[in-house]
Amino acid sequence: YHILHSDGVFDTVDPYGVASGIDSERSMVVNLAETDPVGWEQDKRPEIRPEDRCVYELHVKDFSSDPNSGVSDKHRGKFLAFTEEGTTLSGDGIHATGLDYLKSLGISHVHLLPVFDFGSVPEDDAEAFNWGYDPVNYNVPEGSYATDPFHGAVRVAEVKRMVKALHDNGLSVVMDVVYNHVYDAGAFCFNQIVPGYFSRISSDGKYSNGSFCGNDTASERSMVRKYIVDSVCYWADEYHMDGFRFDIASLLDTVTINEIMTAVHRKHPNVIFYGEGWDMKTELTKPG
């Protein structure tokens, strides 16, 4: 979008965009129905009793990037590594890797470190690495984990294929979400459209920095709260996510957290939530 306001003229992506081209430079219009894998409408969340939950945290790239992982070269370090069955260490046929290894652990939930679009990693650089706690486009999957980061529909389809493969093998999927700060507050699309609205501004006129990442999200503002609620619901609805782990959850206000859970549970009562409970200092903004 080409945005004009009192601070100047800005070109920015759509905050509600669901796909993008390489490195988040442009939002991309896609037909989401065409990204659904075969059988997606029949995809079901595994039924797991609370007392049987066992969560295994992993990083998408770390999971399969090693040449000895047994995963095909095209899928190593990618979403689709989770769709390969029968992989073994260096192809020895004995020591299970990948999806088969996860199943052998007896876990119930796979906790994925951030898989939404994040900064600091050129999406076409196979050697680049980052944990992913640098949000850029909240509703867009990360392109560096896709087999083709240039075409927005590919990353969307491949996340769905990953989730379905895990579900088909009895594993639930938890998404690590980072709504407490963004990669670059000044360049973040929401702040480009309405300057400073998405981020807390301290009494000294600078971004509040309780996150120690340069900025804190102003979740107490009505349209920021709505955006976060809508975003989590989108991942639960469109991608069939079974749970959400909130990074530095203490920086988000309680009302927002409760609204998120209530909204998701209307359609998906068994989705689980947990969060990081650090006591971080932040400066709340005026509601608006």
Side-chain angles (χ1 to χ4, degrees), residues 79 141 155-163 235 239 241:
F79 294 125
R155 61 183 75 187
V156 175
E158 291 182 350
V159 172
K160 291 179 178 180
R161 288 178 60 187
M162 171 185 67
V163 171
W235 283 97
Y239 289 96
M241 292 294 175

Side-chain angles (χ1 to χ4, degrees), residues 9 12 19 31 33 45 53 72 76 85 134 156 166 169 172 175 188 203 207 230 233-234 240-241 249 262 280 286:
V9 179
T12 184
N31 183 335
R45 292 183 168 88
R53 291 170 184 161
S72 63
R76 280 196 295 112
E85 298 185 50
D134 298 326
V156 175
L166 289 167
N169 284 276
S172 295
M175 181 179 177
F188 184 59
S203 53
Y207 290 118
D230 289 347
C233 285
Y234 173 71
H240 302 182
M241 292 294 175
T262 298
M280 313 295 276
K286 294 180 180 179

Side-chain angles (χ1 to χ4, degrees), residues 99-119:
L99 179 59
D100 286 19
Y101 174 72
L102 292 178
K103 290 192 292 183
S104 74
L105 296 175
I107 61 174
S108 63
H109 289 69
V110 176
H111 169 152
L112 303 172
L113 269 65
V115 295
F116 52 62
D117 178 56
F118 55 81

Side-chain angles (χ1 to χ4, degrees), residues 10 35 40 49 54 82 111 161 188 190 208 211 241-242 251 256:
F10 300 89
T35 66
W40 187 240
R49 299 182 304 173
C54 181
F82 294 85
H111 169 152
R161 288 178 60 187
F188 184 59
F190 219 118
S208 175
S211 65
M241 292 294 175
D242 306 293
L251 288 181
T256 297

